[in-house]
Amino acid sequence: MDNSVLSKTVCLKYFSQFAERTGKTTEEWLTEAITVEALWIELDKQYGFELDISAVRPAVNHQFCDWKMAINHRDIISFIPPVSGG
């Protein structure tokens, strides 16, 4: 099977400590991940976010979602870190 068919490009939006860790606020990312959770694992291996998945809220196309949400080519994906008030 042609692996390029499985690949998709997504737009990642980074906030707070994720932006600090990656050194960017947005990034185009080529992935074969099928779910938001699989993408998180892939990114965590790349960047070492140092946060447990249970502390993070995922969003696809500006809507909070479940970790099992399927991702599609050109989706906008954000991982929202814990927010502290002040």
Side-chain angles (χ1 to χ4, degrees), residues 39-76:
L39 179 62
W40 167 264
I41 292 167
E42 185 178 307
L43 292 168
D44 191 34
K45 285 180 185 172
Q46 174 71 28
Y47 293 115
F49 287 138
E50 299 178 353
L51 257 182
D52 187 83
I53 194 170
S54 64
V56 179
R57 296 233 16 224
V60 174
N61 298 324
H62 311 290
Q63 298 289 319
F64 286 116
C65 65
D66 183 89
W67 284 103
K68 300 299 181 192
M69 173 102 173
I71 56 174
N72 298 297
H73 182 65
R74 306 307 300 160
D75 276 347
I76 300 167

